[in-house]
Structure formats: structure tokens, C-alpha cells
Amino acid sequence: MAAILALAALSAAANAASPLYPTYRAVLGTSDLVITALHTTYAVVAVVALLVLGPVADTLGRRPVLVASALTAAMGTACLTASSSLAWLFAGRALLGVALGTATGAGVAVLVERAAPGRAPRASLLATMAVLAGTGAGPLVTGVLADLGSSPLLVAYLPTLALLAVTVAAACVIDDAGAMSHGAPARWRPRVPEIPATVRRRFTVAAASGFAAWSVAGVFLALLPAVAAEVTGRIDHALSGGIVAALLLCSALALPLGYRLAAGVAQAFGLVTLSLGLVVLAASQLAVVPGETLRLGLLGIAAVLAGIGHGLAYWGAAADVDACAVRNRAGITSALYVLCYLGAGLPAIGVGALSLILPLSTAIVVFVLLLCFLAIPLIPVPALATGQRGHRS
């Protein structure tokens, strides 16, 4: 339970700021590009932390890494309350990236190591659900509290800080005996992902699905609060948090379905549903769509469809990589995480840059058209490339 709590809490902390981005922009007078850069900072730093600090858990043990990560996330969250300075905000996002990237491998390892023989895939499913549930719950809680409190940028983070404090206490009691009982601790060194030539084609297909899934999620997390504010003409933190939460919670709920499908089939269905969600998202941005209620309804439908597609595509990609990673499992899995983190951040930066020369709604439509152009031809490829089950019994 401690590992599940750590993964959920760190994911919640890393994404809790999402519904507050319009307020940060208003308070600091920044552009959408700066806000997307702020969002992307944690993803890019998480990649570096995953590669450089991820292997530390094999040397020092799972417990100290999870404790240190939760403390680092608490410091990052505290920095986000200092909304008077962009420097504090970027520092906070960077610290959250360090915490999440460092703890991801340790948290998953604890669950897999404690799983009964043959149950490792179920443990992996549980870890993924914890990450997605935390990613969705964090924005929802901060959004609701920001609208209730008189100091939204302070009050909204209090539950996150409390949850991280509980996480520190829970991580302190994790038993490292199982992890450290297989001989001398491994020597720490940065991990450079290596993809064997025999699985490179299959990995490329799965990685493309994972990247596409997280690209959509990243744009929702970074920009949907601003889109909702444009539609309503006001900043509504609870509404923004609800839309973002709908995507991630639907993604988590879709995982058990993906678990029962062949990995390639799950990716194919996920890409189809993602594309439908993107089409609905683009429709919500068209000037011909009348009325605030209809546009908000389309945003909600887009979030639900994109969430289901995200869960299926992401799980299918992870299951396919797990199935083909007979050797160099750590390196191959790390490479997939790297691409997913980059997908969660870099495309959002592109949309933010486009918004400097185009209206935000037009920039999002351009992103939708581009991603659909890239994703739709990929749809049949995973199902044709592999018939492997999404899990092993």
C-alpha cells in the first residue's frame, strides 16, 4: 500500500497545478507559451531524473528513495505557493520532476517484488492505475479548493502537502529486505536505455502509441484550463480541474479493459478513440459552434473519449514492451517511460508557441490535425505487428 500511495501522491503533486495555470498567467502577466513551458518543466526534468537518479533505488534501496522523493515533492509544492515569481514556479515544477522521475522505478519495483509468482503484470497494472488516478485526482482537488478559498494559490495545495506528509510516513516503513536480498547492491550509474535490434521495430510501434497518448494528455493538462476560461469568459478552477480529471480518471478506468485485450488490439482501439476525442476537441474550438453550454459539453466529451483512448493506448504500449523485453527489461522499459514523459511535455510547448501567432483555439485545432495525421495511419499497425496478450496469466 505504501508504494501505491507514493505513486499516486507524487503523480497528484506533479499535476495539481494544472487548473491554476490561468490564474498564474493572470497574476504574472505571462503568455500561453510560458505556461506550457512551466507545465513541461516537470516532464523534461523527470526524464533526466529517471535516467540519472532512477538506478539509485537499486543501490540504496526502495525506502530511502521513496522517502526522499516525497520530501522533494513537498518542497516543490511549497515553491508553487510563492506565485509572485516565475522563478519559484519553475523551481517547484523542476523539484516535482525530480521527485516523480526518481520514484517511478522504485515504486513500481516495490509492487512487482511483492507480487505473488506470476502476478507481476497485475502489480504493474495496479501501479499504472495509481499513477493515472493520482494524475487525475490532483487537479480535481486543487480546482475545487481554489474556488472555495480566499487565497486559491495557497489553500489549493494544502491537501497535497498533507498527502505527501502521510506518504513520507508510509514510505518509512517499507521493507527493503526483498529488494536487497539478491546479493550485493548494484553500483549506481546513469541508465542509458538500450533497445536490442531484435525488438526495435516492435518497440517503435509501442513507443509511438505511448507518445501519442501522452501528447494528448499533456495538452489537456497544460492548456484545457485556459480553453475553458476562454469559453466561459472567467477563470473557473473547479471546471478546469474537472475536465482534466475526467480524462485521467477515464484513462484509469479503461485500464482493466486494456488488460483483457491483446496489446496490439488495445493500442489500435486506443488510437481510434484518441482520434475521436481529438476531433470533438477541435469541434469545440470552432467559431460556428454556438453557446457556452454546448462548447463545454463538447470539451467534456472530448476529455472522456481522449481518456479512454489514452488508457487503452498507454496500457497496450506498456504491455507490448513488457512482452517483448525478455532481456534488458529495465533499459527497454526506461526508454518507454522517457518517451511518454516527453510526450506529456513537448507537444504542449509546440501548441503554446503557436498561440503566440495564432489564437489559442486555432493553435489547438492545428495540433489536432497534425496529431490525427500522424496517428490515424498508425492505427492498424499495432494489431498487425503483434498478437500478444496484454498480460500473462
Side-chain angles (χ1 to χ4, degrees):
M1 282 300 295
I4 295 174
L5 176 62
L7 290 171
L10 289 169
S11 300
N15 295 282
S18 183
L20 305 178
Y21 289 152
T23 299
Y24 284 130
R25 179 181 176 181
V27 170
L28 300 172
T30 61
S31 65
D32 287 318
L33 176 59
V34 173
I35 293 300
T36 54
L38 181 65
H39 169 79
T40 300
T41 295
Y42 102 89
V44 174
V45 173
V47 168
V48 178
L50 179 66
L51 298 176
V52 177
L53 298 177
V56 169
D58 293 328
T59 302
L60 300 181
R62 319 306 187 202
R63 180 174 58 234
V65 167
L66 290 175
V67 171
S69 295
L71 290 172
T72 303
M75 289 188 291
T77 301
C79 288
L80 295 182
T81 64
S83 57
S84 60
S85 169
L86 270 176
W88 281 106
L89 296 181
F90 276 100
R93 297 295 290 164
L95 286 171
L96 288 166
V98 170
L100 187 62
T102 305
T104 298
V108 173
V110 169
L111 290 175
V112 172
E113 288 162 358
R114 279 155 182 70
R119 297 289 183 174
R122 294 180 185 272
S124 179
L125 173 67
L126 192 60
T128 305
M129 291 185 71
V131 169
L132 293 178
T135 302
L140 179 61
V141 171
T142 53
V144 170
L145 288 180
D147 281 341
L148 295 178
S150 57
S151 302
L153 298 180
L154 174 61
V155 173
Y157 290 116
L158 294 181
T160 303
L161 290 170
L163 180 60
L164 290 170
V166 173
T167 302
V168 171
C172 284
V173 301
I174 289 178
D175 181 11
D176 266 339
M180 308 305 289
S181 62
H182 303 292
R187 178 182 297 178
W188 171 82
R189 63 181 179 86
R191 177 188 295 148
V192 179
E194 296 180 4
I195 312 300
T198 53
V199 300
R200 198 165 293 159
R201 181 179 177 184
R202 190 169 169 184
F203 172 85
T204 300
V205 173
S209 298
F211 185 90
W214 279 102
S215 294
V216 175
V219 168
F220 267 76
L221 286 163
L223 292 170
L224 258 291
V227 172
E230 284 192 358
V231 171
T232 61
R234 66 186 185 280
I235 296 176
D236 189 327
H237 301 104
L239 174 64
S240 299
I243 293 174
V244 171
L247 185 148
L248 276 306
L249 294 178
C250 285
S251 178
L253 292 174
L255 288 179
L257 173 60
Y259 182 78
R260 289 169 173 79
L261 296 174
V265 173
Q267 291 174 69
F269 275 118
L271 291 171
V272 169
T273 313
L274 269 177
S275 299
L276 291 175
L278 288 172
V279 170
V280 176
L281 173 61
S284 73
Q285 301 305 297
L286 299 178
V288 295
V289 177
E292 173 185 320
T293 302
L294 179 56
R295 295 185 69 187
L296 287 176
L298 289 175
L299 281 178
I301 294 171
V304 170
L305 288 172
I308 295 172
H310 175 275
L312 292 175
Y314 175 47
W315 171 252
D320 207 10
V321 167
D322 179 69
C324 72
V326 178
R327 296 181 179 179
N328 300 321
R329 183 180 302 273
I332 297 174
T333 303
S334 294
L336 179 66
Y337 273 116
V338 165
L339 291 171
C340 288
Y341 279 135
L342 292 177
L346 296 184
I349 281 276
V351 179
L354 274 178
S355 70
L356 295 178
I357 57 176
L358 298 172
L360 179 58
S361 57
T362 305
I364 288 178
V365 170
V366 171
F367 163 78
V368 167
L369 293 175
L370 178 61
L371 194 58
C372 284
F373 175 78
L374 296 174
I376 289 176
L378 181 66
I379 288 172
V381 176
L384 294 175
T386 175
Q388 296 292 323
R389 294 289 297 173
H391 67 283
R392 299 174 184 173
S393 301

